[in-house]
Amino acid sequence: MKIDILSAVPDLLSGPFDHSILQRARERGLLNVNVIDLRQYGLGKHKQIDDYQYGGGAGMVMMAEPLFNAIAELKGETAYDEIIYFTPDGEKLTQSVANRLSLCRNLLCICGHYKGIDQRIRDHMVTMEISIGDYVLSGGELAAAVLVDSVGRLIPGVLNDETSALFDSFQDNILAPPVYTRPADFNGWKVPEILLSGNDGAIEQWREEEAIRRTKSRRPDLLDKA
Ligand code: ADE
């Protein structure tokens, strides 16, 4: 999968994809992330990319023309499955959205700043709008990093144990059960006996019960969807 990210602050994205699982995905050629500097499409000698908003009001708006030129050029090189704009009023990024996007070949992500981008780009070029939660970020870059992480780990072959993403929290709208590792007794805090029993069937049942108990107490809203 290729994910292109158009950003006015590309430095914000130098780093998050260079470690751990995403780094491995890139090394294996399963994920290719490119950050493109919007400023290179800026207008005039100051490479302007934002301007005052019509109708007055505080805050700058990212101009249509630099975004249009950048997106048009990128679309000329790549057939995108989705052109995604990050915004608090977009569709909530859930595991099911991440699952769906992990099946795409090429994504273009557009990161807004200031008051956002000129609505005409949203109307005519963007195909999907995503929010990562009900709070306001100062730009779309961190949202793009969250999307790349949540989608990238779902690409077949990225996780070593192919089954492990299947047991993630939210995969069936059920949270993951608690996990433990050695030692079995740390400071007198003991690992549940059942996990040391070697009885696979009983362990599996315990995990299911714990997952449901945790979901009931922490996220009862998910159980309606499960
Ligand atoms: N840009 C600003 N806030 C955002 C949010 N919550 N999700 C996605 N993009 C954003």
Side-chain angles (χ1 to χ4, degrees), residues 1-2 81-82 99-107:
M1 176 188 287
K2 180 164 85 131
D81 299 284
E82 298 285 357
N99 284 339
R100 187 150 47 85
L101 290 174
S102 74
L103 301 175
C104 293
R105 291 187 57 77
N106 300 302
L107 298 175

Side-chain angles (χ1 to χ4, degrees), residues 85-89 112 130-140 143:
Y85 173 56
F86 295 101
T87 172
D89 59 8
I130 288 185
S131 162
I132 63 161
D134 289 341
Y135 40 80
V136 179
L137 301 166
S138 39

